[in-house]
Amino acid sequence: MSAHLQLSPGELLLVPGAVALVLARWLPLRLRGPLTVAAPAVVVVGAGAVLGVLGLRWQMVPVLAGAAVALPFAVAPLLRRRTGRVARRAPWWLALPGSVVCLALIAAGPAAAWALPTPVFPEPSGRFAIGTGVLELTDPERPETATAAPEDRRTVVAQFWYPARKDSKDSKDTGHARYLGRTEHEARVVSDALADYAGLPGILLDGLPRAHTHTAYDVPVADGGERFPVVLFSPGLGGVRTQNTAWAEELAGHGYVVVGIDHPYDSAAVVLADGRTIRTKVSATGDAAEDEKRAAGWTAVRAADLSFVRTQLARIHSGEIAGPLTGHLDTSRVVAAGHSLGGAAALQAARQDPHFAAVIDLDGAPHDPAPQPFPQPVLALTQAIGPDTDPEYIPRLTRVLGLGTATSYRLTVPGAAHLTFTDAPLYLPPLPSLVGSLDRTAGPRITVAASLAFLDSTLRDTPGDPATALSAYGTLVVHHPGRSPKSGP
C-alpha cells in the first residue's frame, strides 16, 4: 500500500468483505446466496488475520461493527429459504438507512487509517546501508538540576545513525529496528508519553510502536576506513531523539553520522538502561515573560548537553567507549542541529562552543539571553510565515544570524508548518495548521535535501554555492558577514 493508506492483508480482506455483506441485501435472491456465503467467510478470515496474527488496530473496530450489524440481515433470508419459509426482505425505505449507517462505519476504518497511519519511512537514497545504536552518557562534572538529590549527575541518552556495510552478513536485519525504542515496550512507553504531552488519547498514536525503520542495530560500519562528519540533533520541546528518523536515515545513507539526543526531564519520556522511565517536567505558564525565562533555562541545559556529547565523540572514536564507530568519527567536523527548542539550543551551543563546525536550526526561535558573534555558518529552515506566526520570531532569528562571522542561510518553505520538519507528516492527519499543506513525504524530503546541500558545501567543500540548491525549496535569505541580508542565491 502507499504511505498515505496502508492496510494489512487481513484488513484488505476485512473491508471489502464487510462491504459485500451490506450490499448483499440489495441483490436479487438468486445472486445473494453465493455472495452471502462468501462474504462472511472473507470477513472471518480477514478478522482472524487482524485479531490473531497482526493485532487489532482501533481503526478496524468500526469495520467489524458494520460487518456485525449487516451480517444477520444478509443471512436471515437465506436461512428462511432453507427452512422452507418465504424469504422476505424489509422494505427498501427501512433497509436503506441501516445500509448507509453500516457503509459509513466500514468507510470510517480506512479513513481513520489514512488520517492516522502507521508511519512508513521513505527509502533512503544514499549509497550506504544504515546502522544504529544507543548509548547512555553521564557527565560526572555536571549536577542534574531537575532533581533535588545532590549526587545526581546529568545523563543523556544518545542514538547513533551511521553509514553501514550493505553487504554485511547482518544486513538482512535492516529495516527491523523499531521507530521509537529499542524494544516494543520502550516504543509504547514513548508513544504514550508523546500522546499525553500533546493532550491526545494514546490510542490515536498506536501506529508509532508498530512502525519499523530502515536501520539495524550494531551492524558493522561501512568499509574503507572513512571518518564521517557528525551531526548532533536536539529534538523539540517535549520531543524525543527519534522524532527526525527519516532525516537521520537519509543523512546517514549519504555518509554522515547523526546523533539524536534525549534530554531527561524535558523529552516526553526517556527510558534508561536500568528500566527507569523519566517523564518530562517542562511546562508553560501562559505568562509570556515567565515562559521566555523558562525557555532560556531549558535551552541552556540542552546547549550544555550538545557540547557534552560532542566531547564524548573522541572517546567513542578512540574505542574508550566500545562500539562499531571506533576509528570512524571525524571529530573536527561536528554540527549542532535541532528542531524548535532544539534548534535554539544548537545556536546557543555553537556560540558557546567554537568546536562546532556548523549549525542547522529547524524552525527554532533563539532563546539565548546574551547572543554574541559566533563563527559557524548556519542553515535555518522556517515554516511559512502567516498571521498566526509569532511576530518576533523572524526578527529575532535575523538578529542572531546577523551576529555570525560566516555566511548563513534562512530558508522559508512555502506550505510548511512547525512540524513539517519532523517525522510528524508521516503519521499525523494532513491538516495545514498541524503539519503544513505539503504532501506527506514532501516535508521530510525538503528538510533532508536542504540539509545535505548545506552540509556537503560546508563540511565537504562540494563545489558550488549551496544557495542555488536551497533556493529551489522556498524563499531564501542569505546573511553575509557585515552585510545586509540578501534574498535569493
Side-chain angles (χ1 to χ4, degrees), residues 18 64 74 82 169 172 176 186 238 262 273 275 287 332 357 375 407 429 436 466 485:
L64 290 171
R82 286 182 177 274
K169 63 182 178 63
K172 62 181 181 294
H176 287 193
E186 180 179 1
D262 268 337
D287 178 85
S332 68
T407 300

Side-chain angles (χ1 to χ4, degrees), residues 63 81 150 193-194 322 421 434:
V63 179
R81 187 178 184 185
L194 286 171
F421 308 106
L434 192 62

Side-chain angles (χ1 to χ4, degrees), residues 13 29 48 84 128 132 149 158 162 204 247 288 314 320 327 336 342 345 364 376 410 414 430:
L13 286 174
L29 195 59
F128 297 106
T132 191
Y162 58 87
L204 294 184
W247 177 78
E320 183 181 348
Q376 300 92 342
R410 174 166 57 84

Side-chain angles (χ1 to χ4, degrees), residues 62 93 104 117 157 166 173-174 178 191 208 228 292 299 303 352 380 426 434 441 465:
W93 50 271
V157 178
K166 282 195 171 181
D173 295 324
T174 298
R178 290 187 179 274
S191 175
L208 300 189
F228 302 105
E292 179 58 32
T299 302
Q352 296 171 344
L426 300 177
L434 192 62
T441 60
D465 185 352

Side-chain angles (χ1 to χ4, degrees), residues 9-24:
E11 292 166 346
L12 285 172
L13 286 174
L14 176 59
V15 173
V19 171
L21 278 177
V22 177
L23 298 181

